[in-house]
């Protein structure tokens, strides 16, 4: 396989684990505020990101590429109010979409149709991730600044349950 694609796939394992760390940090922030529903939402988000990392790892193994695990950066975002993590999450998902698009672009150039097919799941997933992250921001703007509204949102997010990714390798 093209060396650059192998490098980007390996790098994406690290980026997805970093995403898990970032969302875990957000979950901890909400937990400290006793916003347990928000904490639950981001705990599950962290689990999903770990799954994404594992899917990249498994794909590399499936096609015979060596996986090199690198150090995961410390999550260093500062949250000053309950809205901050939501906006940072939306921005972060757009960044991840750009990363996936970059890998896709390289695969297209190299006519690596097999990896493009694998990445299709992530292209769809990123559309969903951005939609959900934007919706969190918009709904917080609508309801989150009033105690009753914030309570309702927290109750709603407490109901999020983890489901394993639909992509299986
Ligand atoms: Fe792995 Fe939230 O994208």
């Amino acid at each position: 396989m093209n060396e650059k694609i192998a490098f980007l796939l390996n790098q994406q394992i690290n980026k997805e684990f970093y995403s898990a760390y970032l969302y875990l940090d957000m979950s901890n922030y909400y937990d400290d505020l006793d916003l347990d529903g928000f904490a639950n939402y981001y705990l599950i988000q962290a689990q999903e990101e770990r799954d994404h990392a594992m899917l990249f790892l498994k794909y590399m193994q499936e096609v015979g590429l060596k996986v090199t695990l690198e150090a995961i950066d410390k999550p260093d975002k500062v949250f000053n109010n309950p809205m901050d993590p939501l906006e940072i999450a939306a921005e972060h998902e757009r960044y991840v979409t750009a990363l996936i698009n970059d890998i896709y672009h390289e695969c297209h150039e190299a006519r690596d149709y097999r990896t493009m097919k694998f990445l299709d799941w992530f292209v769809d997933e990123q559309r969903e991730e951005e939609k959900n992250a934007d919706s969190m921001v918009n709904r917080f703007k609508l309801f989150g600044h009033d105690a009753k509204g914030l309570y309702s949102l927290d109750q709603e997010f407490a109901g999020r349950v983890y489901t394993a990714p639909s992509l299986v390798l």
Side-chain angles (χ1 to χ4, degrees):
M1 186 185 285
N2 177 306
E3 267 182 33
K4 182 152 188 203
I5 296 171
F7 170 81
L8 291 174
L9 289 171
N10 194 78
Q11 177 182 255
Q12 196 62 29
I13 296 173
N14 187 274
K15 300 282 184 185
E16 299 289 348
F17 274 127
Y18 173 78
S19 299
Y21 246 33
L22 177 62
Y23 290 131
L24 200 52
D25 203 37
M26 292 177 181
S27 179
N28 291 343
Y29 168 76
Y30 287 120
D31 187 74
D32 287 345
L33 294 179
D34 285 334
L35 285 168
D36 294 347
F38 282 84
N40 173 63
Y41 187 96
Y42 283 106
L43 181 63
I44 289 169
Q45 195 62 32
Q47 290 173 299
E48 286 197 356
E49 299 300 347
R50 175 209 56 200
D51 290 340
H52 296 170
M54 293 307 293
L55 286 170
F56 276 98
L57 186 149
K58 282 192 201 165
Y59 178 73
M60 287 186 72
Q61 290 178 334
E62 190 84 18
V63 297
L65 291 171
K66 181 170 165 43
V67 172
T68 307
L69 295 178
E70 304 287 354
I72 302 164
D73 286 344
K74 180 179 174 176
D76 58 356
K77 306 288 185 205
V78 178
F79 313 129
N80 292 311
N81 57 66
M83 172 61 114
D84 281 349
L86 309 181
E87 288 182 326
I88 289 167
E91 187 186 333
H92 183 71
E93 287 304 329
R94 277 186 271 284
Y95 166 66
V96 174
T97 298
L99 293 172
I100 300 289
N101 288 347
D102 284 347
I103 311 174
Y104 208 98
H105 175 75
E106 287 300 327
C107 292
H108 188 258
E109 295 284 294
R111 297 163 64 103
D112 181 349
Y113 303 118
R114 186 170 56 183
T115 307
M116 284 164 75
K117 204 156 187 295
F118 162 71
L119 289 173
D120 280 341
W121 185 88
F122 285 91
V123 172
D124 289 342
E125 177 72 4
Q126 282 311 120
R127 185 192 64 231
E128 189 72 20
E129 295 272 70
E130 283 191 37
K131 187 190 85 178
N132 291 341
D134 286 341
S135 167
M136 298 280 283
V137 171
N138 292 334
R139 298 185 67 220
F140 194 95
K141 279 182 188 161
L142 281 169
F143 312 118
H145 298 291
D146 151 82
K148 265 189 176 168
L150 183 61
Y151 181 76
S152 298
L153 283 177
D154 195 54
Q155 293 286 100
E156 180 187 328
F157 298 148
R160 185 182 186 190
V161 291
Y162 167 76
T163 47
S166 52
L167 177 64
V168 179
L169 291 178

